[in-house]
């Protein structure tokens, strides 16, 4: 399973990259706004900064919601750096635009996916990635992981090559469950990635080893 970081925070991206486990980055307009990045030029410069840090795929989301606008904006975003993936919402014009990008060799990430029906459409349009929002499904008292599982089954049966990118990940447990249920990629905040390191028995065991070493070696 590939690991992407879900943030526009350059420090967090750098820290995850230095861990040596980072395969890419996802962003969205809310994450950009959280970092105070506003205005077309600043947003584009920020994408370029991210692409200088990370070699892997970097998702840059379009704001347009009509076919012509999505195609124009996405084509421009894709020209900013070789590793930009155009993030397109799961709407009718978005699906049409994904087909256009696929036919023109531009990688895409179909976002805001909440059902297997939507996931089938994204795959039929040739999306590189499809992003089911796990945490937001859990928030509505459904089980986001059931969606990952069903999508993985359908994609395997149908031979779809679109990669399942588990998004809206809130914890390290979500990451484990996404891996178990067949996600190809997990995009997570730095806190969830670092949370994977934690186990009290590791901390206790290390403290004991160091204490025993100190006893024998002053
Ligand atoms: O990748 C999608 C993600 O940014 C949404 O996460 O926590 O806002 O549901 P969240």
């Amino acid at each position: 399973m590939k690991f992407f970081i879900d943030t526009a925070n350059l420090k967090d991206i750098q820290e995850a990259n230095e861990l040596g486990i980072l395969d890419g980055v996802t962003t969205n307009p809310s994450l950009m706004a959280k970092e105070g990045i506003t205005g077309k030029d600043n947003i584009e410069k920020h994408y370029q900064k991210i692409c200088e840090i990370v070699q892997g795929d970097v998702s840059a989301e379009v704001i347009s919601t009509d076919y012509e606008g999505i195609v124009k904006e996405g084509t421009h975003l894709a020209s900013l750096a070789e590793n930009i993936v155009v993030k397109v919402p799961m709407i009718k014009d978005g699906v049409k635009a994904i087909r256009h990008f696929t036919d023109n060799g531009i990688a895409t990430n179909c976002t805001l996916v909440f059902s297997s029906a939507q996931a089938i459409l994204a795959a039929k349009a040739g999306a590189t990635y499809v992003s089911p929002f796990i945490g937001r499904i859990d928030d509505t008292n459904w089980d986001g992981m059931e969606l990952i599982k069903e999508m993985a089954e359908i994609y395997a049966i149908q031979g779809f090559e679109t990669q399942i990118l588990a998004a809206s990940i809130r914890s390290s447990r979500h990451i484990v469950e996404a891996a178990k249920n067949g996600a190809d990629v997990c995009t997570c905040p730095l806190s969830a990635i670092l949370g994977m390191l934690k186990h009290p028995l590791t901390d206790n065991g290390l403290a004991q080893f160091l204490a025993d070493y100190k006893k024998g070696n002053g």
Side-chain angles (χ1 to χ4, degrees):
M1 187 174 74
K2 288 192 263 188
F3 268 93
F4 289 180
I5 188 166
D6 193 29
T7 186
N9 183 288
L10 297 179
K11 202 168 146 281
D12 284 3
I13 293 169
Q14 190 74 51
E15 186 173 340
N17 198 41
E18 283 167 5
L19 258 182
I21 52 88
L22 195 65
D23 299 298
V25 179
T26 52
T27 62
N28 62 40
S30 303
L31 292 171
M32 280 288 186
K34 194 174 161 196
E35 299 307 317
I37 315 292
T38 55
K40 189 173 172 286
D41 286 355
N42 288 334
I43 290 172
E44 289 181 10
K45 278 186 200 136
H46 201 74
Y47 284 137
Q48 285 170 322
K49 283 184 196 162
I50 294 173
C51 290
E52 279 165 21
I53 300 172
V54 177
Q55 306 296 309
D57 287 348
V58 173
S59 287
E61 188 159 340
V62 296
I63 304 302
S64 306
T65 53
D66 63 294
Y67 173 74
E68 283 79 14
I70 296 172
V71 166
K72 189 172 171 215
E73 197 187 336
T75 304
H76 178 65
L77 286 171
S79 75
L80 294 176
E82 273 188 6
N83 48 340
I84 290 278
V85 171
V86 180
K87 205 171 178 188
V88 181
M90 170 39 77
I91 54 176
K92 192 174 171 189
D93 282 30
V95 171
K96 276 173 68 180
I98 288 170
R99 168 48 60 197
H100 168 88
F101 291 133
T102 304
D103 291 345
N104 287 277
I106 293 175
T108 52
N109 174 357
C110 183
T111 190
L112 290 166
V113 165
F114 293 91
S115 76
S116 292
Q118 293 177 323
I120 290 170
L121 271 184
K124 285 294 292 177
T128 315
Y129 300 104
V130 62
S131 291
F133 277 31
I134 302 312
R136 292 192 193 185
I137 294 175
D138 288 356
D139 289 345
T140 63
N141 281 328
W142 288 83
D143 183 356
M145 288 306 156
E146 283 301 314
L147 175 58
I148 297 280
K149 194 174 170 191
E150 186 173 75
M151 283 172 57
E153 281 168 9
I154 292 169
Y155 279 16
I157 290 166
Q158 298 297 330
F160 288 137
E161 287 177 6
T162 298
Q163 296 176 58
I164 300 170
L165 194 169
S168 185
I169 292 289
R170 307 270 171 82
S171 66
S172 51
R173 189 65 211 163
H174 263 161
I175 299 172
V176 173
E177 290 292 326
K180 195 173 82 179
N181 285 294
D184 300 291
V185 190
C186 213
T187 190
C188 349
L190 183 63
S191 58
I193 297 174
L194 296 180
M196 297 175 81
L197 290 164
K198 300 284 178 202
H199 198 289
L201 292 179
T202 304
D203 297 341
N204 293 347
L206 181 59
Q208 185 69 56
F209 285 156
L210 295 178
D212 289 344
Y213 176 84
K214 207 171 168 192
K215 270 186 230 157
N217 295 276

